[in-house]
Amino acid sequence: MLPVVSIVGRPNVGKSTLFNALTRTRDALVADMPGVTRDRQYGICRVGQEPCVLVDTGGLVGGAEGIDYLTAQQVLQAIGESSLVLFVVSAKDGLTAADEEVAETLRKENRPVLLVANKTDGTDTDIALADFAGLGYGGPQAVAAAHRRGLDSLMREVAELLPPPAEDDLAAVDDDDFDRRRLAIIGRPNVGKSTLVNRLLGEERVMAFDMPGTTRDTIAVDYERGGNSYELIDTAGVRRRARVSEAVEKFSVIKALQAIERSHVVVLLLDGTEGLTDQDVTLLSHALEQGRGLVIAVNKWDGLDPDHREQVLATLDRKLQFVPWARRIRISALHGTGMDLLMKAVDEAFESATKEIPTPELTRVLTRAFEAHQPPMSQGRSARLRYAHMGGRLPPRIVIHGNRVDTVPDSYKRYLENTFIKAFKLAGTPVVIELRGGGNPFKDKKNTLSERQLRKRKRLRKWAEKKKSRRR
């Protein structure tokens, strides 16, 4: 395994800013308020030429209760799996009692610790760093993560304290785009997204709490099942725009929508006790716009009585007629029922969305569909569809060539889409139909004759006119 470096400290010392600076990403949510980070966030950081795993954690608070206690448990798990801990303090605030509590916790965990003093910009560094000598971790490394100052010297110090990674780990850093199936779990707040991720992993990897808005960051976790590798992406709950007022929640929503864009398959998680809401349909439309594979999972199914179940199923049938190809799975993330069916539907959606179909087979299906039902006539003439080929994946894009394709209505495109889905047994993915006409290749072509050829043509035209006048 790659060496693991955890970033630990009290709240609001700049841990997430340092994480983003070292990984050169914006994966960690950053705001000028304490308690923004709650779950562990993992990323790849380069220490010289060697990679390592960097872990961002929430602020560690002594005597915490409720959600702060769960955050502290996440921090302790990160420390337990670390090869090195970066203990971050704030040079701007100086040494505090909370810093001393964190130092005491780290001494109990018995892990190598490197003290890092952040926010050194605009301060007298020598005076600011002298306060932290009493922590017992030596002189701190002075950095300003927001401005990327001192990061090179920090990385050189980290390189001396870390063991070198194995060659197998180096080869596993860069994966092919389709080696891991990226699965984004989206939904409204408090529908059980984090509980579902924990159930699939078999451990309390992300924080699950009976309070809406517990998850703020977008957390990606590696997962293996049935010989396939996955990347599970837990997202923050997305409420209606009118109810979103805090800046942190706005950024959480943006990162959730970005997770849809980078995923291969999207699982839209519904609350079975509330049924399908307008906000669920809005999230569904975002997944359709990105053309991702789609699985609809109805959670908390075990808590519904038979009449309520029939009502929920009738509502889904009525409101989701525009996505008949999407699998609908009934699950209970809390008790683990339906997990096999869910992952089977995810695999079907991924394989359908990334399927390569040969051109002859597409053309044969197109020919049969065209002969069975031709597009309506326009101005006494009908479009002619000649052949089809693949134009892309995620989603499958089928390019059809023919004549007068601009007269083909949307209803006929939907007929072709459904025909291809049934013919090739595609499930859980939309199919995009793109029509291309033949056209006149010389219509917009400019005259490319040389000046000499133009003069010759002009002389020939004059000669022909003189000869014609003589005959008269």
Side-chain angles (χ1 to χ4, degrees):
M1 294 179 60
L2 292 175
V4 179
V5 179
S6 295
I7 304 176
V8 177
R10 63 178 176 84
N12 212 30
V13 294
K15 298 183 296 298
S16 296
T17 304
L18 180 61
F19 175 87
N20 288 341
L22 293 178
T23 58
R24 298 182 180 273
T25 65
R26 294 185 179 180
D27 290 344
L29 194 60
V30 176
D32 190 14
M33 58 178 291
V36 173
T37 304
R38 290 171 176 170
D39 290 297
R40 288 171 284 161
Q41 180 75 269
Y42 288 76
I44 297 296
C45 170
R46 295 281 176 177
V47 183
Q49 298 297 326
E50 308 295 345
C52 72
V53 177
L54 195 65
V55 188
D56 182 29
T57 64
L60 193 57
V61 180
E65 297 180 354
I67 199 167
D68 291 333
Y69 172 78
L70 295 178
T71 302
Q73 294 301 309
Q74 291 279 325
V75 177
L76 294 177
Q77 289 183 31
I79 295 173
E81 62 187 22
S82 299
S83 307
L84 175 66
V85 176
L86 299 183
F87 178 17
V88 182
V89 295
S90 173
K92 184 178 180 180
D93 299 335
L95 182 63
T96 65
D99 292 325
E100 295 177 347
E101 291 179 358
V102 175
E104 184 63 28
T105 301
L106 291 176
R107 274 190 283 271
K108 294 179 182 178
E109 295 297 324
N110 194 25
R111 295 286 176 177
V113 175
L114 178 61
L115 186 61
V116 181
N118 192 22
K119 304 182 181 180
T120 56
D121 45 331
T123 62
D124 189 330
T125 305
D126 295 334
I127 297 177
L129 299 186
D131 294 341
F132 302 104
L135 293 176
Y137 290 112
Q141 291 288 318
V143 301
H147 305 287
R148 301 191 58 83
R149 294 200 192 105
L151 298 186
D152 292 338
S153 60
L154 172 63
M155 287 294 96
R156 285 194 293 270
E157 191 70 21
V158 170
E160 295 179 0
L161 299 174
L162 284 181
E167 293 184 1
D168 294 341
D169 298 326
L170 294 176
V173 174
D174 298 322
D175 288 327
D176 185 74
D177 190 36
F178 293 136
D179 279 353
R180 288 185 302 170
R181 306 179 177 191
R182 290 195 291 273
L183 173 61
I185 302 174
I186 64 172
R188 294 180 293 109
N190 212 34
V191 296
K193 299 182 295 297
S194 298
T195 305
L196 175 58
V197 172
N198 289 337
R199 172 59 62 182
L200 290 173
L201 295 174
E203 62 171 315
E204 295 297 321
R205 170 59 184 84
V206 292
M207 191 184 305
F209 193 68
D210 190 15
M211 180 184 73
T214 300
T215 303
R216 287 175 171 169
D217 266 323
T218 297
I219 307 298
V221 187
D222 291 337
Y223 173 59
E224 290 190 4
R225 185 188 183 99
N228 296 322
S229 298
Y230 303 86
E231 182 180 325
L232 304 181
I233 306 175
D234 184 24
T235 64
V238 180
R239 299 192 294 172
R240 287 189 299 172
R241 183 180 299 180
R243 295 185 178 182
V244 179
S245 57
E246 294 183 359
V248 173
E249 186 174 0
K250 291 180 181 179
F251 286 119
S252 298
V253 171
I254 292 173
K255 292 176 76 66
L257 298 180
Q258 289 174 343
I260 297 176
E261 184 177 357
R262 64 177 287 226
S263 66
H264 297 142
V265 180
V266 172
V267 172
L268 175 62
L269 196 62
L270 309 180
D271 189 339
T273 60
E274 299 180 8
L276 185 69
T277 66
D278 293 339
Q279 182 61 15
D280 293 324
V281 177
T282 301
L283 288 173
L284 177 59
S285 66
H286 285 297
L288 293 179
E289 288 175 3
Q290 297 296 332
R292 296 301 179 247
L294 177 65
V295 177
I296 299 173
V298 185
N299 193 22
K300 308 178 184 179
W301 190 255
D302 54 336
L304 305 181
D305 57 68
D307 292 338
H308 197 172
R309 291 182 178 182
E310 292 182 3
Q311 182 181 356
V312 171
L313 293 177
T315 302
L316 293 179
D317 291 337
R318 185 179 69 255
K319 292 187 176 181
L320 298 180
Q321 295 181 5
F322 61 99
V323 284
W325 40 263
R327 292 277 193 263
R328 303 171 194 172
I329 309 298
R330 299 179 286 275
I331 67 170
S332 172
L334 184 62
H335 298 101
T337 56
M339 296 297 107
D340 291 336
L341 294 176
L342 176 63
M343 295 309 298
K344 182 179 179 181
V346 168
D347 291 337
E348 288 180 351
F350 175 82
E351 291 166 2
S352 298
T354 59
K355 189 174 184 178
E356 286 282 3
I357 306 174
T359 298
E361 295 183 16
L362 286 172
T363 304
R364 277 195 294 270
V365 173
L366 173 65
T367 302
R368 288 197 297 265
F370 183 78
E371 292 174 352
H373 179 60
Q374 296 186 4
M377 300 183 68
S378 175
Q379 297 179 354
R381 299 176 62 185
S382 177
R384 298 294 178 185
L385 306 181
R386 304 190 182 282
Y387 70 96
H389 63 86
M390 290 292 294
R393 296 184 293 175
L394 280 172
R397 182 179 297 272
I398 300 177
V399 181
I400 300 175
H401 295 261
N403 296 333
R404 295 177 57 82
V405 295
D406 54 333
T407 63
V408 176
D410 292 338
S411 59
Y412 194 79
K413 290 182 181 179
R414 288 193 294 272
Y415 160 69
L416 293 176
E417 177 183 347
N418 293 330
T419 300
F420 284 118
I421 288 176
K422 292 179 181 178
F424 298 105
K425 299 180 180 179
L426 303 180
T429 181
V431 174
V432 178
I433 301 297
E434 181 178 342
L435 300 177
R436 295 183 184 178
N440 184 358
F442 301 101
K443 181 178 179 181
D444 299 323
K445 192 173 183 179
K446 295 182 179 180
N447 195 342
T448 57
L449 297 177
S450 65
E451 294 183 2
R452 182 178 179 182
Q453 290 173 324
L454 291 174
R455 287 196 301 267
K456 184 177 180 180
R457 178 175 290 186
K458 188 176 181 180
R459 287 197 303 268
L460 290 173
R461 191 180 297 116
K462 287 182 179 180
W463 177 82
E465 289 177 355
K466 287 180 180 180
K467 189 174 181 179
K468 187 176 181 181
S469 62
R470 288 175 183 173
R471 290 179 180 176
R472 292 177 181 175

